[in-house]
Amino acid sequence: EKKTIKTFENDHLNFYAKLIPLKQMWGIYSNTIEQIERLHRYEPQLNSFNVAFVQGTKDYLLRAIFIFLTQTTMLVLTVSHIWDNRVDACRIPDLLQLIVSISGTVVVSFIAKQSRDNFNEFAYIFPDYAGTTLYKIDMASNYFGGFLVSICTLLLLLMTKNNLDIVLNATALLFVMELDELLVDNNPVWVTSGYRSYFMKEIIKGLNKADKRYWDFEYLRKNRGEHYQIHTPSCSFLFLDK
C-alpha cells in the first residue's frame, strides 16, 4: 500500500522546509515497515545462513560456511557409499522394507519442502539477501540439497538389510539436512533482538544513502534557495545543475 504525505490546498500553509525532508525519511521507514510486516506474516524458520545475514558479522559467516562444508562432506560420503553398494539398491526388497523405505522418504521429502519454503520466504522478506554468497550456499543446502537428501534416503533404505539399520539410516540424512537449523538459537528474545538490530542498521544505511542536501539546512538557506526549486506535485526538491 502506497503512503503519501498530504499538503494543504493553500500552498502558503505548506512548510516545505520540514515537509520535504519528512517525506524522504518516511520513504526509508516505509521500506523497513513493509519488511517487518512480511516477517510477521510468514515467520520463517531461521537457519545458520539466515542468522549470518541478519547479524552481518564475520563469526556467524564463518560458522555458516563451516556448517555448509560439513553438510556437503556428509552428502558426498553418502553418495559414495550408495554408489559402491549400488547392486544392493537394485535388489527387490521385502514388503515391510519397501513400505518403510517409501514412508521414510515421504517424511524426509516433506521436511525438505519446509526448508525450501523457508528459503523462499526469507528471500522474499529480505530482497538484499538474494545474490549474496550466503544466499547461494543456502540454496545449495536447503533447495538442491533437499532433493538430493530425499533421493539418497530412498536408495539408502532400499539397500539396507537390517531392520535397526533401516531406522538409523532413515534419520541419518535428516540430521544432515537440519544441521544448519539445529545450531540456531530459537529463543524469541534473541531472534527479536537480531531482527531489531538488522532493521536499525538498514534505516541508518538508507539515511546515509539519501541525498544529503535534504538535511543540510545551510545549503537550503543559502542564496535564498535560488539553487533549487520546489516541485509541489511530488513534494520534493529539484536541484539545479550549474
Side-chain angles (χ1 to χ4, degrees):
E1 183 181 358
K2 294 184 178 180
K3 303 292 184 181
T4 59
I5 297 178
K6 295 183 179 180
T7 58
F8 295 103
E9 294 182 1
N10 186 347
D11 192 58
H12 295 288
L13 299 178
N14 295 318
F15 193 5
Y16 288 99
K18 291 184 177 180
L19 188 61
I20 294 178
L22 179 62
K23 180 184 177 183
Q24 301 300 314
M25 294 176 61
W26 175 251
I28 296 172
Y29 293 148
S30 64
N31 292 333
T32 302
I33 293 173
E34 182 180 1
Q35 284 184 300
I36 295 175
E37 189 276 332
R38 291 179 182 177
L39 186 62
H40 283 287
R41 188 195 313 166
Y42 293 102
E43 296 184 352
Q45 177 72 31
L46 287 177
N47 58 39
S48 298
F49 314 116
N50 304 150
V51 172
F53 173 78
V54 171
Q55 294 293 336
T57 61
K58 185 177 180 180
D59 292 339
Y60 282 101
L61 175 61
L62 293 177
R63 181 186 301 182
I65 294 176
F66 177 76
I67 291 174
F68 173 71
L69 294 177
T70 302
Q71 290 177 312
T72 303
T73 302
M74 290 182 174
L75 284 176
V76 169
L77 292 176
T78 301
V79 173
S80 176
H81 173 75
I82 293 175
W83 177 256
D84 293 338
N85 299 273
R86 57 188 180 277
V87 176
D88 293 334
C90 297
R91 69 180 179 84
I92 300 177
D94 55 51
L95 181 60
L96 178 61
Q97 184 180 5
L98 180 62
I99 294 175
V100 172
S101 300
I102 295 177
S103 300
T105 303
V106 170
V107 172
V108 171
S109 299
F110 177 75
I111 298 176
K113 183 180 183 302
Q114 287 183 321
S115 297
R116 291 194 297 272
D117 291 341
N118 284 330
F119 168 79
N120 292 326
E121 290 171 358
F122 190 85
Y124 175 70
I125 296 171
F126 300 95
D128 292 341
Y129 185 58
T132 62
T133 301
L134 289 168
Y135 173 86
K136 294 176 182 178
I137 61 178
D138 189 4
M139 176 182 288
S141 174
N142 290 299
Y143 209 93
F144 299 112
F147 291 111
L148 182 59
V149 166
S150 300
I151 296 174
C152 289
T153 297
L154 178 61
L155 297 176
L156 199 60
L157 294 179
L158 288 175
M159 67 193 305
T160 304
K161 300 177 181 178
N162 186 278
N163 291 337
L164 180 59
D165 290 339
I166 291 179
V167 177
L168 295 176
N169 290 335
T171 57
L173 291 180
L174 192 60
F175 167 77
V176 175
M177 187 173 58
E178 293 186 336
L179 185 61
D180 59 326
E181 298 177 359
L182 296 175
L183 299 180
V184 174
D185 186 357
N186 289 316
N187 186 313
V189 176
W190 185 87
V191 173
T192 303
S193 176
Y195 282 135
R196 183 185 297 115
S197 176
Y198 172 82
F199 288 128
M200 287 301 298
K201 289 186 291 186
E202 286 299 300
I203 290 175
I204 295 174
K205 187 188 300 182
L207 292 174
N208 289 332
K209 288 182 178 180
D211 196 325
K212 299 299 186 296
R213 292 175 291 187
Y214 278 98
W215 327 111
D216 189 350
F217 289 102
E218 293 184 0
Y219 173 85
L220 297 176
R221 289 173 179 172
K222 72 177 182 179
N223 299 329
R224 296 184 179 180
E226 295 180 358
H227 51 296
Y228 66 89
Q229 295 178 352
I230 294 177
H231 186 244
T232 53
S234 63
C235 189
S236 61
F237 289 137
L238 296 178
F239 299 104
L240 304 177
D241 296 328
K242 293 186 179 180

